[in-house]
Amino acid sequence: MVNRVPFAARATAVILGAAILFFMLAPLAVVVGASLTAGQFLSFPPQGLSLRWYQAVLSSPAYLSAAWTSLQLAVLVMVAATVIGTPVAIALTRHRLPGSQIVAGLFLSPLILPTIIFGIGILIFFSLYADGPSLTALWLGHTVITLPYVIRTVIAVLEDSDPAVEEAVRTMGANWWQRYWHGILPQCYGGMAAGAFFAFNISFDEAVIALFLRTPELQTLPLKIYAELEFSPDPSVAAVSTVMIAMTVVLIVIIDRLLGLGRVTG
Amino acid sequence: MSATSGRQSRREAILLITPGVALLIGGFLFPAFQILAMAFVPATEDAGIWSNFARFFVDGYYLGVTERTLRLSVIITAITVVLGFPIAYIIARSGPRLRLVLLIMTILPLMTSVVIRTFGWVIVLSRGGPLTDILHAAGLVERNFALLYTETGIVLAMVQVLLPFMAITTLGAISAIDTRIEEAARTMGCSFWRSLWHVVLPLSIPGIVSGSLLVFALSISSFVTPSLVGGVRLPVLAWSIYQQATSTLDWHFAAAQSVFLLLLVMAIIIPYLALMRRKNG
């Protein structure tokens, strides 16, 4: 098959593929490059190489507090989405529920509603019925939008797993909680972990909901970057962004190890 | 499962799903319906329930914003189709190792914060940025050339942001094609290009269509990229909604615009869902 692809086609594929991937990755490379500048201003190519802007970030209370908020938030969201999403996925795959198709669709619906609309929804909700924007509001908003990812990844592993394992556990005399704890849950681990990392990554990177819920005290890292870009960006923004890109690379490698990227992407 | 009685199974299922349903209703459906309700509450007492919507249609400014949003989304979607198909075909037909590398290179931008990707474009498109340098060196533009705050700039950045969605959706369709069909076409004397055009492309249409609907829906509702690259000068719908909700604090009008945007998205998503259902039998 491969041998019969004409040379012209393969050459086109290589050139076109390289060009498109260059286009895809160039903006990220530019950010990484700009973070290494020794100069005063954001520029690419960088003027001289130095790590001074990374140092500037590490000694900036504003960046550190935004990073701390983002980290807290992402961990809380990751835990909540995994703990709530996994049972939903088990119920949808291992039990017969009336209208389970509709229920499954409803659980994926936060993927369809534009984030901008959901952002105002949460803002109005917390302004009318609570004390306005708060970390709790952000936690709730991010958990809702990351829940579908956990449900999908856990369903993916459960559909591939063998229901006979639970049968065996039950035949051996396990009661209901032993069946879940020793029979079903271990089969979910791969999907749970991948879903958890997706939830962490999405929450850590999300900007639109956070933008609606921002207060002077409640500032996440993507928001801090957004605000800098709106006004007067200096190379420290590029340094923070580079650290976030590096985190994403690590998470992708972990998800690939746990579940295989091919399977997650269909 | 057979040993568990149906009733017990159902009780367990309801127990498992309750926290999720509570979160979905309280944290998602209720705030979403709140918006809907708010859109119909008139800003002043003597105005009718449609007044917030009427304001949108009477004012030429908002129609202009809508027109720009839709026009840009169509252009962005068309470009992602043209670029997405070849990249998906290349990924689908490469060996396992190259395939993984290409997948990672496609997913890395997708999983990076949209703020950071847009930031990269702000540097690239600005005056004195690398793009200006290259084009100037080629003798094509003046020194002070910039694409920041132009529609071309928005399109460039948005295509990069949304291309992974198109590539991955199309990849799904192409991966599902039996390679023997292609081989058969080739054995029957079809050239490589003809088999691509007459066999692969038609069979991947469902993937391309669902990818296009996805990209279109995402681009008409996108906020971060158009607002950083286009700024105040080139407002899009999402930007207008954000302004009303946070600067003017006119929640009723913001809600009405959100409902309008949602209707546009639904007009695209409903055919998409119908298509997916037909594909899955």
Side-chain angles (χ1 to χ4, degrees), chain A residues 13 40 52 56 126 136 145 149 162 164 193 203 211-212 229 239 242 259-260:
Chain A
Q40 281 294 333
R52 61 180 280 206
F126 274 84
T136 315
I145 59 165
Y149 292 87
D162 188 358
S203 172
L211 203 59
F212 279 101
L229 291 183
T242 304
L259 206 58

Side-chain angles (χ1 to χ4, degrees), chain A residues 69 73 133-138 210 213-220 223:
Chain A
T69 307
L73 179 66
S134 61
L135 191 66
T136 315
L138 254 179
L213 298 177
R214 76 168 147 184
T215 66
E217 296 80 37
L218 192 60
Q219 182 96 286
T220 64
L223 274 192

Side-chain angles (χ1 to χ4, degrees), chain A residues 196-219:
Chain A
F197 285 115
F198 273 121
F200 181 92
N201 182 64
I202 292 165
S203 172
F204 200 83
D205 279 350
E206 205 280 334
V208 176
I209 295 173
L211 203 59
F212 279 101
L213 298 177
R214 76 168 147 184
T215 66
E217 296 80 37
L218 192 60
Q219 182 96 286

Side-chain angles (χ1 to χ4, degrees), chain A residues 4 24 94-95 170 180, chain B residues 1 9 12 113 160 186:
Chain A
R4 279 185 285 141
M24 293 302 296
R94 289 292 194 260
H95 295 279
R170 186 167 42 237
Y180 281 102
Chain B
M1 190 97 43
S9 163
E12 282 178 15
S113 177
Q160 191 256 350
R186 298 290 305 284

Side-chain angles (χ1 to χ4, degrees), chain B residues 64-133:
Chain B
V65 168
T66 309
E67 189 262 337
R68 172 180 302 114
T69 311
L70 289 174
R71 180 163 38 84
L72 289 178
S73 303
V74 169
I75 297 171
I76 290 159
T77 310
I79 298 176
T80 56
V81 170
V82 173
L83 297 181
F85 180 77
I87 202 80
Y89 186 76
I90 293 167
I91 295 177
R93 295 290 178 261
S94 14
R97 186 159 295 189
L98 182 60
R99 193 185 152 97
L100 183 64
V101 172
L102 293 176
L103 258 183
I104 289 176
M105 288 169 92
T106 315
I107 289 167
L108 174 63
L110 182 67
M111 285 187 63
T112 309
S113 177
V114 72
V115 178
I116 296 174
R117 280 182 282 168
T118 307
F119 174 30
W121 282 106
V122 170
I123 301 176
V124 171
L125 301 172
S126 60
R127 181 170 300 148
L131 191 66
T132 309
D133 286 350

Side-chain angles (χ1 to χ4, degrees), chain A residues 75-87:
Chain A
V75 170
L76 286 171
V77 168
M78 175 173 91
V79 171
T82 313
V83 168
I84 297 172
T86 306

